[in-house]
Amino acid sequence: GAVLREIRQLAAQGVREVNLLGQNVNAYRGIIEDDETADLALLMHYVAAIDGIERIRFTTSHPVEFSDSLIEAFAEIPQLVNHLHLPVQSGSDRILAMMKRGHTVAQYVEKIERVKKIRPNLSMSSDFIVGFPNETEEDFNATMALINQIGFDHSFSFIYSARPGTPAAMFNDSVSEEEKKQRLQIMQDRLRELENAVSESMLGTVQRVLVERAAHRDAAEIAGRTENNRVVNFPGDIALVGKFVDVRVTEAHTNSLRGELLADSVIL
């Protein structure tokens, strides 16, 4: 109930987008209206029914908890954005088992494919770890193959660092730091290429943008975010902050897009 109360208050103050956050948000179980226990999917149904909430996101989630009800939510809740951040960490089943992730690559891919059937233009992002102890070249190549298969949008990649006291901290590691850094560079270069390809595919398209603020570089411009979380800068009136507008994308840069406001597109 506390989550819904807070969102109702925010909506009354003009908030139009909510991001449901948690270390593993799709494992959410909470008491909501009339002592009903809700999972994340049911919570999102309740949030979508709140007047004024036009866009819903959730992060961060775990593939094991990415349930049928969550997949169905993409069909049933139009306010749920066309973007999914679902960390996989590795494309190697051997590494996933050593990490105790509890899922295989095939199970991960199958869940994504089910959402993509519902939302063909789904933008996917993920987290990846390079250099888990004794990661072989074959393991690394399997992760790169998964990245190429899915075609991820803006994603995050890191070199593994074992927390003291975890089983991985006890492993002897056969992979040098230099090798790990080389692998990370290969991965980051490919992820950046894929992200840039998504930006370029948006050129000429019309995107629904929630206006957030004045643009950083030009006082005559405003900035907002697309459904797949791209920043778009475009000429417009600061009075549009908090409103949804339609923007045609005219330029794609590394970290942002430029666009032009379509006349008569303001959604109150």
Side-chain angles (χ1 to χ4, degrees):
V3 173
L4 290 175
R5 268 199 307 280
E6 184 178 353
I7 294 171
R8 285 194 186 100
Q9 288 167 355
L10 291 169
Q13 292 161 18
V15 168
R16 295 290 164 259
E17 176 179 315
V18 292
N19 189 357
L20 302 168
L21 294 167
Q23 191 64 38
N24 178 12
V25 73
N26 53 1
Y28 170 85
R29 299 292 179 276
I31 303 295
I32 52 172
E33 319 284 79
D34 304 320
D35 291 335
E36 183 178 13
T37 302
D39 62 4
L40 179 64
L42 183 55
L43 174 67
M44 289 195 296
H45 278 280
Y46 275 99
V47 172
I50 295 171
D51 276 352
I53 299 300
E54 302 290 341
R55 202 182 258 181
I56 301 169
R57 302 180 185 276
F58 61 94
T59 49
T60 284
S61 48
H62 191 297
V64 170
E65 297 278 358
F66 196 71
S67 62
D68 289 349
S69 63
L70 261 183
I71 292 169
E72 285 154 16
F74 280 89
E76 295 167 355
I77 304 175
Q79 293 94 328
L80 187 53
V81 294
N82 220 15
H83 176 256
L84 174 60
H85 183 73
L86 192 62
V88 67
Q89 311 301 359
S90 174
S92 160
D93 284 340
R94 190 181 80 89
I95 297 287
L96 290 174
M98 287 200 299
M99 286 180 175
K100 298 185 166 43
R101 288 288 285 170
H103 65 89
T104 64
V105 175
Q107 287 165 337
Y108 178 85
V109 170
E110 187 259 342
K111 289 185 180 190
I112 288 175
E113 285 178 345
R114 285 172 63 195
V115 183
K116 283 194 164 179
K117 273 191 180 146
I118 297 167
R119 302 278 188 97
N121 297 323
L122 182 78
S123 157
M124 274 294 313
S125 59
S126 184
D127 297 341
F128 298 95
I129 286 175
V130 166
F132 192 84
N134 301 314
E135 176 190 64
T136 65
E137 191 158 345
E138 190 179 3
D139 294 321
F140 174 69
N141 288 341
T143 303
M144 293 304 299
L146 177 65
I147 287 170
N148 289 322
Q149 178 187 350
I150 302 291
F152 291 94
D153 197 348
H154 181 70
S155 294
F156 303 92
S157 51
F158 316 90
I159 290 178
Y160 180 81
S161 59
R163 293 193 303 280
T166 60
M170 312 299 287
F171 292 151
N172 287 321
D173 193 356
S174 61
V175 187
S176 70
E177 281 302 307
E178 187 179 1
E179 175 69 19
K180 290 177 187 180
K181 284 177 182 167
Q182 284 177 341
R183 288 177 185 173
L184 183 69
Q185 192 62 54
I186 290 165
M187 181 181 287
Q188 289 183 338
D189 288 348
R190 183 61 182 136
L191 288 170
R192 196 172 302 112
E193 280 178 5
L194 289 168
E195 183 177 353
N196 289 342
V198 171
S199 293
E200 283 171 22
S201 75
M202 296 170 76
L203 280 171
T205 66
V206 174
Q207 299 286 326
R208 175 68 46 87
V209 172
L210 175 57
V211 183
E212 293 180 354
R213 54 176 171 79
H216 290 319
R217 293 190 177 174
D218 188 334
E221 296 196 348
I222 51 180
R225 285 181 187 271
T226 61
E227 277 198 43
N228 64 331
N229 232 10
R230 286 285 195 285
V231 173
V232 189
N233 297 294
F234 55 98
D237 190 328
I238 195 70
L240 291 174
V241 166
K243 305 276 196 302
F244 284 95
V245 296
D246 288 334
V247 174
R248 180 174 283 109
V249 179
T250 56
E251 295 174 33
H253 302 291
T254 306
N255 295 314
S256 65
L257 305 169
R258 282 192 53 76
E260 57 191 17
L261 179 65
L262 294 194
D264 304 323
S265 75
V266 179
I267 296 121
L268 299 173

